Amino acid sequence: YNRCGNLHVNAHGGMKSRIADLGVVNFDKVDTAPKKGWRIDCARPHEGHVFVQEINDGRQKAYIKFVVTTVQRNGTLKVKWSPLKGNERRPEFRRGSAGTMGQCGGLHRER
């Protein structure tokens, strides 16, 4: 979550992650990634919306789902998340020293 008000999905250079906003749906019933509706950079969080994120570092992929439970005025979010079925084994993603968190200059559209 960034000061621009969006959830950025590529935490460091080289990431190829994407995110899909499923809207207000039953979190517990989401068990597969959607076929369409993907954004390749960021999405605006809305309370009650369920998102699926494909985490892709160029070598490995994993899918998670999360629901935004609270968007707070102080610029923080609360979410509930879980791996999608078939993704319970967590891959070993590399950690980058440079990221996008907090570096976004201001409000912009989802993309």
Side-chain angles (χ1 to χ4, degrees):
Y1 187 53
N2 215 307
R3 65 179 162 216
C4 67
N6 288 315
L7 296 164
H8 283 255
V9 297
N10 292 302
H12 61 79
M15 294 287 291
K16 300 172 184 168
S17 300
R18 57 190 186 152
I19 192 167
D21 182 349
L22 306 181
V24 179
V25 298
N26 187 325
F27 177 80
D28 295 324
K29 292 189 177 187
V30 175
D31 59 2
T32 60
K35 301 279 188 219
K36 57 185 180 176
W38 291 100
R39 297 186 179 277
I40 59 170
D41 185 33
C42 60
R44 178 96 43 215
H46 300 283
E47 285 187 16
H49 282 221
V50 175
F51 292 83
V52 171
Q53 183 176 351
E54 176 189 78
I55 303 167
N56 180 350
D57 74 351
R59 298 177 301 129
Q60 303 175 85
K61 288 183 186 177
Y63 292 89
I64 66 160
K65 63 180 178 177
F66 63 92
V67 59
V68 177
T69 58
T70 307
V71 178
Q72 297 178 331
R73 289 186 181 163
N74 67 1
T76 61
L77 295 177
K78 290 185 180 183
V79 301
K80 171 183 164 184
W81 74 276
S82 174
L84 286 183
K85 290 182 181 177
N87 288 282
E88 290 84 2
R89 184 184 144 270
R90 294 186 184 161
E92 295 293 325
F93 289 110
R94 66 179 194 245
R95 299 178 198 275
S97 58
T100 59
M101 285 301 279
Q103 297 179 15
C104 198
L107 295 178
H108 61 85
R109 295 175 42 189
E110 300 171 285
R111 44 179 191 234

